[in-house]
Amino acid sequence: MIAARPPTGPNFPQVVGPYRFLEALGSGAFASVYRGERTDRPGFLALKVLNPQIVRSSPEHVLALQDEAHLLQAIDSPFVVRFVAHDELAGPDGGLWHVLALEYVQGVTLGDLSELLTAMPGTVPLSAVVRLVDDILAGLAVAHAARLRGSPLGVVHRDLKPANVMVDEAGTARILDFGIAWALDRRALTEAGITKGTPPYMSSEQIRGGKLDGRSDLYVVGVMLFELLAGAKWVEPRGPDRQDAAVLMDCLFARLEPRLDELWAGMERRFAMDGVAAASLVSLLKVLLQIEARNRPPKAAVAQAMLNAPRDAEASRKLLGRLARGIRVAREGELRSRDIDATIVSIDDVR
């Protein structure tokens, strides 16, 4: 019987099996995520726990968590969150907890970073964005090429979005949450013709429920990049008077060309401009945001080569790490929001 509920509020800290749960980080319809640690060694972990009511009503989500664990074990990249362990543990009341232990990434999401750029325009050089995009593409290149027992898995993330990309305090972008990723050996959540993902971060072939490959993820990299550069949504998101169907329809017809002026204006407003970086990013966007998959780069590594990121990443990583740390500290209440600029190196320091 599965009756235990993951720890909340006043139950912290709580020990379950080898793990000490310290605080809640977030929750969704299917799972909750906590910051925790092992009781026998130092170092924080992110602990993903299936919600008990979902396990009772939808056993396929247990298979999905197991699949995610197997998938992450096949991906070894500094730009993808690292798998630690998968456990099924007896909870305090005798119920069964399904726990996926992952590397804990201390940092902020790509969405958090975008909000900062809106609040503090001109702080970040475009070369730092080139570095972020290069990291994301590098992580996808490894994930898409993952193999199990010598056979390719055909991995497609399917849920890339700003909330699933972290910028850590070393200034590195890290891809999170392969919970609905497609892979050839997955036993759950891979039915043909089923549309899964987060509008508007979906390619046209994903919206139509068609066959997917890595080019679907590349399209979404383009969507995230456009939004980061322009400071505007690629497609208006769902709202009280706007349902997913309308969002999906807009996604099918969204084009970059009519919005190039908006893109350039956003870059000039939000960033310390760099002509070479700007031209490189816009050229990449033009191919990533192609509606038809056949018109996009065939692989993430090809998109990386088109981006042609500078080899020297130290200055950009230094700035991005300082930004991530400053946002986190401000959010934790250790620093007043208006003082966040004190944590940011000057533009001259990172050129």
Side-chain angles (χ1 to χ4, degrees):
M1 180 180 69
I2 300 170
R5 179 175 298 277
T8 56
N11 295 323
F12 294 128
Q14 185 170 139
V15 174
V16 178
Y19 303 112
R20 182 180 293 109
F21 288 76
L22 300 173
E23 66 172 334
L25 297 176
S27 62
F30 306 126
S32 299
V33 181
Y34 303 88
R35 182 172 66 90
E37 60 189 0
R38 284 189 63 96
T39 57
D40 59 350
R41 69 191 68 160
F44 292 134
L45 298 169
L47 301 173
K48 182 176 181 178
V49 184
L50 284 183
N51 295 336
Q53 63 274 21
I54 291 297
V55 175
R56 288 194 297 271
S57 62
S58 304
E60 67 270 17
H61 285 87
V62 175
L63 289 179
L65 191 75
Q66 294 169 350
D67 286 345
E68 183 179 1
H70 295 151
L71 178 60
L72 286 171
Q73 289 179 73
I75 300 173
D76 182 14
S77 169
F79 310 109
V80 175
V81 66
R82 184 172 57 87
F83 169 85
V84 176
H86 172 241
D87 297 284
E88 296 179 2
L89 305 170
D93 62 356
L96 191 62
W97 285 16
H98 297 267
V99 180
L100 180 61
L102 304 168
E103 172 189 17
Y104 177 73
V105 179
Q106 183 151 283
V108 297
T109 69
L110 195 63
D112 294 328
L113 185 61
S114 185
E115 290 179 8
L116 177 70
L117 293 170
T118 299
M120 300 182 62
T123 302
V124 178
L126 275 175
S127 56
V129 179
V130 173
R131 177 54 48 198
L132 285 176
V133 176
D134 189 69
D135 287 355
I136 296 168
L137 291 172
L140 287 176
V142 174
H144 292 164
R147 304 175 76 88
L148 183 65
R149 294 185 291 275
S151 298
L153 287 172
V155 173
V156 184
H157 189 286
R158 292 205 299 181
D159 200 24
L160 278 177
K161 54 189 174 184
N164 283 342
V165 177
M166 293 285 291
V167 182
D168 68 22
E169 295 186 11
T172 301
R174 312 287 295 281
I175 301 172
L176 313 177
D177 198 352
F178 283 74
I180 67 167
W182 169 273
L184 293 176
D185 73 331
R186 290 203 73 160
R187 297 164 294 171
L189 304 176
T190 59
E191 302 92 337
I194 299 297
T195 299
K196 293 183 179 295
T198 304
Y201 303 102
M202 298 170 68
S203 66
S204 60
E205 61 269 28
Q206 186 175 1
I207 292 169
R208 295 186 177 105
K211 184 177 179 180
L212 303 182
D213 58 26
R215 294 173 294 181
S216 179
D217 288 338
L218 294 184
Y219 178 85
V220 183
V221 173
V223 173
M224 294 191 298
L225 177 56
F226 175 89
E227 293 185 345
L228 185 65
L229 294 175
K233 293 296 184 184
W234 177 241
V235 168
E236 183 185 348
R238 179 178 180 174
D241 301 317
R242 185 172 166 79
Q243 300 304 307
D244 282 346
V247 179
L248 294 174
M249 186 61 67
D250 284 352
C251 289
L252 289 174
F253 293 98
R255 300 291 188 276
L256 177 62
E257 286 71 18
R259 303 186 68 177
L260 283 173
D261 288 345
E262 178 185 5
L263 174 64
W264 280 101
M267 285 194 292
E268 292 171 354
R269 181 179 68 252
R270 289 162 65 83
F271 295 93
M273 286 296 286
D274 175 327
V276 174
S280 177
L281 289 166
V282 173
S283 294
L284 182 63
L285 270 179
K286 288 179 178 179
V287 293
L288 292 182
L289 288 174
Q290 290 291 317
I291 294 298
E292 299 298 330
R294 65 177 180 271
N295 295 326
R296 300 178 210 136
K299 296 182 181 297
V302 175
Q304 271 189 284
M306 295 177 63
L307 183 61
N308 193 26
R311 291 179 177 271
D312 183 9
E314 182 179 355
S316 292
R317 294 211 190 282
K318 179 181 177 183
L319 173 61
L320 290 166
R322 295 282 298 273
L323 285 168
R325 186 163 53 253
I327 295 170
R328 176 185 61 81
V329 171
R331 181 169 293 162
E332 291 174 353
E334 299 171 12
L335 185 67
R336 296 189 306 273
S337 294
R338 66 173 180 271
D339 292 334
I340 194 171
D341 58 334
T343 72
I344 301 171
V345 294
S346 70
I347 296 302
D348 289 339
D349 289 337
V350 298
R351 282 178 174 161

